[in-house]
Amino acid sequence: MKLGAPRKKSGWVMLQVLLLHLLVQSVHSQNSRNKLNITNPGQSIPGLAVQLRRVSNEKVVVDNGIIQVTFSSPQGLITGIKYNGIDNVLDDEIDDRGYWDVVWYEPEKALEIDKLEGTKFEIITQNEEQVEISFTRTWTISKRGSLVPLNVDKRYIIRTGVSGIYMYGILERLEGWPDVDMDQIRIVFKLNPKKFDFMAISDDRQRSMPSMADRDNAKILAYKEAVLLTNPKNPMFKGEVDDKYMYSMEDKDNNVHGWISSDPPVGFWMITPSDEFRLGGPIKQDLTSHAGPITLSMFTSTHYAGKEMRMDYRNGEPWKKVFGPVLAYLNSVSPKDSTLRLWKDAKRQMAEEVRSWPYDFVNSEDYPLSHQRGTIEGQLYIKDRYVSRLNIYGKFAFVGLAPCGEAGSWQTESKGYQFWTKADRKGRFIIENVRAGNYSLYAWGYGFIGDYKYEQNITITPGSQMNVGPLVYEPPRNGPTLWEIGVPDRTAGEFYIPDPYPTLMNKLYVNPLQDRFRQYGLWDRYADLYPQNDLVYTVGVSDYKRDWFFAHVTRNVGNNTYDSTTWQIIFNLENVNRVGLYTLRIALASAADSELQVRVNNPKSDHIFTTGLIGKDNAIARHGIHGLYRLYSINVAGDLLSVGDNTIYLTQSRSVGPFQGVMYDYIRLESPFTT
């Protein structure tokens, strides 16, 4: 018996060791999953229930075992995010760390910034699976002039197994409230500068970044947001230009961006699973992340558009809109792994969020679930008898539903919801998960000019499925093409983009040819290339990829003085219909404080056309390749033309500063109509 007792004890010990080994394996496996958060959105991790603690009258904490988020109460500011050993991924040395804000003003009054701080805290949902909390503020007339006239409901959702914060806001103004303009609505996160120093906004736009201190000690350049880094802490940045607009992106591509910390290896990402609550269509450009380190969720702005896109409310107009949800997502890897795995995982998580849209866990009657939405489908054809006798497929065209308006009005529409998709190779399209409401159906695309609008308004009802069948768009056309310059794609990207000044470069854009336009100071390169005489383009000889400067800008003649510029298009006609009307189509990709005048065969004659003063999109100064699209169809009387060489003069007549100018998308001359 004495010999047998130790054996029993030994067996018990072995069983304990085995159980402990299995437990460690389970925890290790669970931690491995948490390191990259490879769960699907909302997929629970056993044992990690979401907890809410009202720490004090001024602080609320929500913890799901992966992240711990601290909110000020009742203001609803995010003051702390604890994750993976970092006590606060936000910058705890400043007050403004995680917040909403609105840029607003009453007409003819000074611009204001309202951080939409709440006055009431409320728990919307609280269980082991998720916590949804609300911070609200109700506007009254006594607040006029000090707060934007909006009722505010900021919502935050933290779910079990998800290492992030879902955020959305319900903004509303009631009928009869004062006139107001709003230029911008966004969410801002200012991250811990001691941790986050590497930024990624796309597969080919990633880099180590200078700090805000580096920018504060830098030389301010001609446009206020751009600085030359003269004495950065890290000498690798010395001599580079930094500007937040260098990292702008079109909304259709702006679905995940953020920052990486190397010690510990942690990522912080802004994920936008839908564009329905944004404005201005799929190619509206906006900010992403930038030096700070700062990460943004831009819901509305006038960037790359100007005041034409502001949200202006007059005569007591009521309005209500849900912005979001978007997801602030955090992930981590082992110190032995490459931190670039964080970017790959962020893209994976973004794809999961897109597939899960619309979310089924949002607890608001203002956010319709999937079964409360509708679907529309159809097929787009293009009819241009001078290109093909048969209708051609609207290959890869953008097709969208947006608030009712004129053709192309979606581009500056800023108050409602928009739903866009890209047609397939045969022009077939389907738009799913559309909110109930009345819309116009719009389309436009590569290779043809102008905007399509379906002749009838579209009414979407909950659960509806609509097929509009074949749609035929006939782009503007009066006669056959005599010549053309560029490609109709709503950008100036196909034209000549010069090398930047060696002393004013951002190294990120040295190699990628598609992003050369993002370099600083390219507008001044025009004067280097054309110091006295302006651009001359000869049809049939010149090549627009080499000989057509990407922006029709002013010429810097020194002493802070700028001249207007006149470009020439020389073309030969073998015969002329002197009693007919020719048509000059000019599609602009951008305009900033400009006036484009057209003359034919006599540069000193009265112009046959002028745009008048147009544009505030600032795409030239802010390193964009397009802003708002404009199409002009100009009649050219046949008696102005001659057999042989002819010249069209394009004058950009406004010349106060360096950033005035236009970008051309496409130019075409058509002969008179023929049967």
Side-chain angles (χ1 to χ4, degrees):
M1 292 293 296
K2 291 182 179 179
L3 292 175
R7 290 195 193 100
K8 290 182 180 180
K9 184 176 181 181
S10 176
W12 173 242
V13 169
M14 289 178 65
L15 179 61
Q16 286 181 309
V17 170
L18 177 61
L19 290 172
L20 180 61
H21 176 71
L22 291 173
L23 178 62
V24 168
Q25 278 192 323
S26 175
V27 171
H28 176 75
S29 175
Q30 187 62 65
N31 286 342
S32 296
R33 296 178 76 196
N34 290 347
K35 281 292 183 180
L36 274 174
N37 190 33
I38 59 174
T39 60
N40 293 329
Q43 181 176 336
S44 62
I45 297 177
L48 296 179
V50 186
Q51 298 180 349
L52 182 147
R53 301 197 307 273
R54 186 74 181 263
V55 177
S56 68
N57 289 334
E58 299 178 350
K59 184 184 295 186
V60 172
V61 176
V62 183
D63 190 333
N64 70 357
I66 306 173
I67 62 167
Q68 183 184 97
V69 186
T70 302
F71 303 88
S72 67
S73 181
Q75 297 85 359
L77 306 176
I78 298 178
T79 59
I81 303 175
K82 185 176 182 179
Y83 175 73
N84 197 53
I86 302 178
D87 287 338
N88 196 354
V89 302
L90 304 182
D91 187 350
D92 54 13
E93 295 185 1
I94 60 175
D95 293 331
D96 298 331
R97 305 169 195 172
Y99 59 90
W100 291 66
D101 69 17
V102 173
V103 176
W104 71 283
Y105 46 94
E106 292 190 22
E108 310 302 325
K109 293 189 177 180
L111 182 146
E112 305 280 352
I113 297 178
D114 188 336
K115 286 195 168 60
L116 302 183
E117 295 186 7
T119 57
K120 179 183 177 183
F121 165 70
E122 183 179 358
I123 300 172
I124 304 299
T125 303
Q126 183 179 10
N127 54 49
E128 290 187 352
E129 295 296 316
Q130 76 175 51
V131 167
E132 178 171 350
I133 54 179
S134 165
F135 300 90
T136 58
R137 186 181 79 193
T138 302
W139 190 85
T140 61
I141 195 67
S142 63
K143 306 289 177 52
R144 183 172 185 176
S146 60
L147 298 177
V148 59
L150 292 174
N151 287 336
V152 177
D153 186 354
K154 298 184 297 183
R155 300 285 187 96
Y156 301 97
I157 303 172
I158 295 178
R159 312 197 71 211
T160 182
V162 180
S163 57
I165 314 160
Y166 293 95
M167 305 167 289
Y168 70 103
I170 307 166
L171 304 184
E172 179 183 28
R173 51 176 279 124
L174 301 183
E175 187 173 1
W177 280 8
D179 294 352
V180 68
D181 294 336
M182 292 186 287
D183 285 357
Q184 178 175 277
I185 302 173
R186 64 180 185 170
I187 297 175
V188 182
F189 282 102
K190 297 181 179 179
L191 305 182
N192 187 332
K194 298 175 183 177
K195 297 293 184 182
F196 294 91
D197 57 5
F198 188 91
M199 188 179 78
I201 60 177
S202 72
D203 286 338
D204 55 2
R205 297 172 70 188
Q206 305 179 10
R207 63 164 297 166
S208 297
M209 290 289 289
S211 67
M212 189 59 74
D214 293 336
R215 284 183 53 87
D216 291 341
N217 295 321
K219 177 184 177 181
I220 298 175
L221 298 174
Y223 207 79
K224 60 181 180 179
E225 289 90 357
V227 298
L228 179 64
L229 301 170
T230 55
N231 191 29
K233 183 177 180 180
N234 188 334
M236 69 181 287
F237 301 131
K238 187 172 183 178
E240 281 200 71
V241 172
D242 181 71
D243 183 345
K244 64 183 180 180
Y245 291 101
M246 289 177 166
Y247 308 107
S248 296
M249 190 177 293
E250 293 179 346
D251 280 348
K252 65 180 175 61
D253 303 317
N254 184 0
N255 41 34
V256 57
H257 59 87
W259 288 83
I260 290 174
S261 162
S262 57
D263 185 19
V266 165
F268 184 98
W269 310 100
M270 183 60 65
I271 293 177
T272 305
S274 171
D275 288 333
E276 70 178 50
F277 41 79
R278 286 170 165 168
L279 77 171
I283 62 170
K284 165 72 169 70
Q285 296 176 92
D286 225 321
L287 298 172
T288 56
S289 294
H290 59 83
I294 292 173
T295 287
L296 304 172
S297 177
M298 301 295 300
F299 295 120
T300 75
S301 81
T302 57
H303 298 146
Y304 301 95
K307 297 297 185 182
E308 293 177 65
M309 197 170 278
R310 72 184 174 193
M311 305 167 70
D312 54 346
Y313 298 90
R314 299 292 183 270
N315 304 315
E317 176 187 357
W319 171 79
K320 190 176 190 180
K321 188 171 181 179
V322 178
F323 293 97
V326 296
L327 173 64
Y329 172 68
L330 293 92
N331 58 4
S332 61
V333 293
S334 164
K336 297 179 181 179
D337 292 329
S338 168
T339 55
L340 293 181
R341 288 187 62 195
L342 297 169
W343 167 249
K344 293 180 181 178
D345 176 65
K347 291 195 300 177
R348 179 206 57 77
Q349 187 70 28
M350 177 272 294
E352 291 289 348
E353 302 299 329
V354 170
R355 282 192 289 269
S356 300
W357 187 270
Y359 297 134
D360 60 6
F361 54 81
V362 175
N363 191 355
S364 170
E365 62 181 13
D366 295 307
Y367 180 82
L369 303 178
S370 181
H371 71 275
Q372 297 169 310
R373 297 172 178 241
T375 298
I376 186 170
E377 61 182 308
Q379 187 172 17
L380 179 68
Y381 293 89
I382 309 300
K383 180 180 181 180
D384 187 337
R385 67 189 182 95
Y386 293 103
V387 174
S388 171
R389 290 184 300 170
L390 302 176
N391 291 345
I392 58 178
Y393 294 130
K395 182 170 62 175
F396 306 134
F398 287 96
V399 185
L401 292 175
C404 299
E406 300 299 319
S409 61
W410 55 267
Q411 188 180 216
T412 54
E413 196 286 320
S414 59
K415 297 176 183 178
Y417 299 94
Q418 298 196 21
F419 303 85
W420 289 87
T421 191
K422 202 169 186 179
D424 68 12
R425 187 177 298 276
K426 293 188 175 182
R428 296 171 298 201
F429 64 89
I430 181 168
I431 306 174
E432 300 177 303
N433 295 313
V434 181
R435 284 171 167 261
N438 295 318
Y439 301 91
S440 290
L441 178 66
Y442 304 99
W444 59 274
Y446 181 91
F448 56 90
I449 60 175
D451 280 276
Y452 170 80
K453 178 195 170 187
Y454 187 56
E455 61 268 18
Q456 301 175 18
N457 288 342
I458 301 293
T459 298
I460 299 294
T461 57
S464 64
Q465 294 185 349
M466 180 181 298
N467 191 324
V468 291
L471 308 174
V472 179
Y473 173 51
E474 191 169 356
R477 169 77 78 170
N478 288 336
T481 299
L482 291 172
W483 51 260
E484 59 187 350
I485 300 173
V487 176
D489 62 358
R490 302 198 174 209
T491 84
E494 69 269 32
F495 298 125
Y496 176 71
I497 299 171
D499 292 331
Y501 292 106
T503 56
L504 294 171
M505 292 174 60
N506 184 314
K507 293 178 183 176
L508 181 61
Y509 302 121
V510 171
N511 293 321
L513 296 179
Q514 70 271 22
D515 288 319
R516 287 169 61 89
F517 63 88
R518 300 188 190 278
Q519 295 282 13
Y520 177 85
L522 299 182
W523 52 85
D524 274 339
R525 295 287 283 117
Y526 179 79
D528 298 333
L529 296 170
Y530 303 94
Q532 294 181 334
N533 299 317
D534 284 320
L535 183 150
V536 177
Y537 186 93
T538 302
V539 173
V541 177
S542 302
D543 180 351
Y544 65 77
K545 296 179 181 179
R546 182 188 65 238
D547 301 317
W548 190 272
F549 198 75
F550 79 102
H552 190 163
V553 292
T554 57
R555 179 186 289 104
N556 185 349
V557 294
N559 297 321
N560 206 28
T561 302
Y562 300 85
D563 284 347
S564 61
T565 52
T566 298
W567 292 9
Q568 300 178 45
I569 303 172
I570 300 174
F571 58 98
N572 186 276
L573 294 177
E574 294 182 356
N575 53 72
V576 174
N577 182 339
R578 300 195 55 86
V579 297
L581 281 178
Y582 292 73
T583 305
L584 180 66
R585 311 278 185 189
I586 298 180
L588 296 182
S590 168
D593 290 319
S594 300
E595 180 178 358
L596 183 64
Q597 300 173 350
V598 179
R599 295 174 174 83
V600 178
N601 282 334
N602 184 352
K604 299 186 181 300
S605 65
D606 292 339
H607 53 71
I608 65 167
F609 171 81
T610 179
T611 60
L613 180 62
I614 56 171
K616 291 284 186 181
D617 63 33
N618 265 346
I620 294 170
R622 288 176 167 170
H623 328 294
I625 201 62
H626 70 86
L628 293 182
Y629 177 78
R630 293 173 170 86
L631 176 63
Y632 300 98
S633 297
I634 304 160
N635 290 330
V636 180
D639 59 7
L640 293 177
L641 301 172
S642 305
V643 173
D645 284 345
N646 294 266
T647 304
I648 289 177
Y649 297 91
L650 303 175
T651 299
Q652 198 297 98
S653 62
R654 308 287 177 134
S655 57
V656 175
F659 307 122
Q660 292 172 286
V662 300
M663 296 184 194
Y664 299 95
D665 167 38
Y666 176 71
I667 303 176
R668 180 173 78 207
L669 183 65
E670 301 169 9
S671 67
F673 171 79
T674 58
T675 59

